[in-house]
């Protein structure tokens, strides 16, 4: 099996890299030359285990084919080593809990939420995406209650990402509702991991964004009170099938509790989400946010915090109405 399987995986790689663009893409992803790829195919040289792992990552659509060809050879060893690495990183380091607790006790109130989220998201990204395969982690908050006491939407608050997202900590202006993975998780109070884009399209209320191939959301809850959720997206299909990764997402969502104020939590029975338009349709409304806040501060003689809350609520109403009109057409 060893010699025959070795030849078969080389033949499969040879077929894949017949496309010059694909050959260059793979070489770039592995950090090797296209000549090296050709030598692997011809049998002149053999890739190291590290390069085999990178090859699997660069060719997710062919991963199963490679493993079927060599279930007991070096390629499988590369996968086994990767799984072993994942299993060793199931817990948040204890020293990091101490760091978050210190920030919680000493940060000024005005910096409390954003700074603690920043610290937690950086560590979560480092641990959940150590090889920088492409991940985005976002804190999603419940919007303010409407006059009837119900929560009708969520809002992406802060996030970080590795390429291709490549986001630093930033204020997000995107509303989410019942049409989203976050909406499903916040409404039910239960976590959900979606292995692939195709499965999400068929079974769950998810709007996929560019590059996103798998996703997981975990509620940020205290007993039966909910403040939002932690949303994690990956460029890799099947990324959240790993129980170790699911456990880490849970731990980081639970750790985020310390970033929220007590009045940010709402009874789960008060969640009554509407539907929100896609981001492309939200953009024209959200682009005027800062100007509207400035105008409101002058007109109503309120501070920036009060003005922002008023405008967020106005925007929520406008977008809910916009989607309702769209749904009735």
């Amino acid at each position: 099996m060893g010699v025959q399987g070795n030849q078969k995986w080389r033949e499969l790689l040879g077929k894949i890299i017949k496309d010059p663009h694909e050959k260059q893409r793979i070489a770039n992803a592995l950090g090797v030359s296209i000549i090296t790829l050709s030598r692997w195919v011809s049998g002149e040289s053999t890739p190291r285990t590290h390069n085999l792992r990178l090859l699997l990552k660069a060719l997710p659509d062919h991963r199963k084919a490679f493993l079927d060809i060599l279930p007991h050879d070096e390629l499988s060893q590369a996968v086994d080593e990767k799984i072993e690495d994942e299993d060793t990183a199931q817990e948040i380091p204890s020293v990091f809990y101490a760091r978050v607790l210190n920030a919680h006790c000493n940060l000024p109130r005005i910096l409390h939420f954003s700074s603690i989220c920043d610290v937690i998201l950086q560590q979560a990204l480092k641990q959940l995406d150590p090889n920088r395969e492409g991940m985005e982690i976002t804190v999603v908050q419940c919007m303010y209650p409407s006059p009837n006491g119900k929560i009708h939407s969520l809002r992406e608050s802060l996030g970080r990402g590795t390429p291709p997202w490549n986001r630093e900590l930033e204020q997000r202006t995107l509303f989410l509702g019942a049409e989203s993975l976050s909406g499903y998780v916040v409404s039910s109070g239960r976590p959900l991991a979606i292995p692939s884009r195709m499965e999400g399209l068929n079974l769950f209320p998810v709007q996929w964004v560019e590059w996103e191939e798998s996703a997981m959301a975990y509620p940020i809850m205290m007993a039966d009170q909910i403040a939002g959720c932690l949303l994690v997206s990956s460029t890799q299909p099947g990324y959240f099938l790993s129980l170790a990764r699911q456990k880490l997402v849970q731990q980081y969502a639970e750790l985020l509790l310390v970033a929220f104020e007590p009045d940010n939590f709402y009874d789960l029975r008060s969640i009554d989400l509407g539907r929100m338009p896609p981001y492309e349709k939200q953009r024209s409304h959200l682009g005027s946010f800062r100007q509207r806040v400035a105008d409101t501060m002058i007109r109503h003689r309120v501070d920036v915090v009060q003005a922002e809350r008023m405008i967020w609520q106005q925007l929520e109403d406008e977008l809910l109405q916009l989607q309702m009109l769209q749904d009735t057409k």
Side-chain angles (χ1 to χ4, degrees):
M1 176 66 183
V3 175
Q4 183 181 5
N6 201 302
Q7 183 59 33
K8 284 185 177 180
W9 84 258
R10 293 179 191 275
E11 290 175 358
L12 176 56
L13 180 59
K15 291 178 182 178
I16 294 170
I17 65 174
K18 280 183 178 180
D19 180 344
H21 297 291
E22 185 68 357
K23 187 175 186 178
Q24 188 63 61
R25 183 191 70 81
I26 296 170
N28 292 341
L30 273 62
V32 301
S33 68
I34 57 176
I35 295 175
T36 298
L37 289 181
S38 297
R39 286 175 176 168
W40 291 351
V41 170
S42 67
E44 294 178 49
S45 65
T46 299
R48 297 177 179 177
T49 302
H50 171 70
N51 284 328
L52 288 173
R53 284 203 299 269
L54 293 178
L55 184 63
L56 287 175
K57 295 174 187 176
L59 298 169
D61 294 340
H62 301 281
R63 179 189 178 96
K64 186 177 184 302
F66 276 114
L67 295 178
D68 287 344
I69 292 171
L70 288 178
H72 302 296
D73 213 314
E74 290 182 341
L75 211 52
S76 289
Q77 180 186 346
V79 177
D80 292 341
E81 289 183 8
K82 183 178 180 182
I83 292 172
E84 184 178 342
D85 289 343
E86 290 173 5
D87 290 340
T88 61
Q90 290 185 18
E91 303 290 335
I92 299 175
S94 57
V95 66
F96 183 70
Y97 282 103
R99 181 182 174 191
V100 172
L101 182 60
N102 179 267
H104 175 59
C105 295
N106 294 294
L107 280 170
R109 185 55 51 192
I110 192 171
L111 300 175
H112 186 264
F113 178 78
S114 61
S115 296
I116 289 181
C117 284
D118 184 15
V119 169
I120 292 175
L121 293 184
Q122 284 190 68
Q123 177 67 22
L125 202 58
K126 185 185 302 183
Q127 198 168 3
L128 285 164
D129 189 23
N131 299 314
R132 297 179 67 84
E133 295 175 300
M135 179 171 288
E136 183 178 50
I137 305 182
T138 306
V139 178
V140 179
Q141 289 183 268
C142 292
M143 263 294 289
Y144 314 108
S146 63
N148 64 5
K150 298 292 186 180
I151 307 294
H152 294 310
S153 76
L154 312 171
R155 184 171 59 85
E156 288 195 358
S157 180
L158 301 168
R160 277 192 174 271
T162 56
W165 282 287
N166 201 27
R167 279 206 289 134
E168 292 299 317
L169 185 74
E170 60 181 34
Q171 186 79 21
R172 290 297 295 254
T173 51
L174 175 63
F175 285 90
L176 302 170
E179 77 294 334
S180 66
L181 171 60
S182 297
Y184 178 90
V185 165
V186 171
S187 295
S188 64
R190 295 191 299 270
L192 179 63
I194 301 181
S196 67
R197 179 183 286 258
M198 185 58 65
E199 185 171 343
L201 290 172
N202 293 336
L203 299 177
F204 302 105
V206 180
Q207 288 192 0
W208 295 90
V209 299
E210 188 179 11
W211 307 309
E212 188 179 21
E213 293 296 334
S214 59
M216 180 177 180
Y218 202 96
I220 299 172
M221 293 188 70
M222 186 178 296
D224 61 348
Q225 303 282 305
I226 192 161
C229 70
L230 179 63
L231 175 64
V232 189
S233 303
S234 172
T235 59
Q236 307 300 308
Y239 205 72
F240 300 101
L241 290 174
S242 164
L243 295 180
R245 291 196 182 109
Q246 291 185 22
K247 184 66 175 177
L248 273 175
V249 173
Q250 175 186 347
Q251 290 174 354
Y252 280 110
E254 292 171 346
L255 188 54
L256 277 165
L257 284 169
V258 301
F260 289 81
E261 299 293 337
D263 60 1
N264 294 147
F265 290 84
Y266 305 99
D267 193 304
L268 196 58
R269 292 171 297 182
S270 69
I271 306 299
D272 183 22
L273 301 181
R275 286 169 46 80
M276 281 290 176
Y279 177 64
E280 293 74 19
K281 293 188 177 180
Q282 293 189 34
R283 190 176 301 166
S284 60
H285 291 257
L286 299 174
S288 62
F289 176 75
R290 288 299 168 196
Q291 185 59 53
R292 291 173 66 169
V293 168
D295 294 343
T296 299
M297 291 175 66
I298 296 170
R299 185 180 308 115
H300 296 281
R301 299 179 182 273
V302 296
D303 63 27
V304 65
V305 174
Q306 294 172 304
E308 285 185 349
R309 175 165 180 157
M310 293 169 67
I311 299 305
W312 283 132
Q313 291 176 313
Q314 290 175 19
L315 287 168
E316 179 191 46
D317 289 340
E318 292 170 11
L319 293 171
L320 286 169
Q321 291 297 323
L322 178 64
Q323 188 59 40
M324 287 177 62
L325 289 173
Q326 184 65 36
D327 291 340
T328 58
K329 289 183 179 179

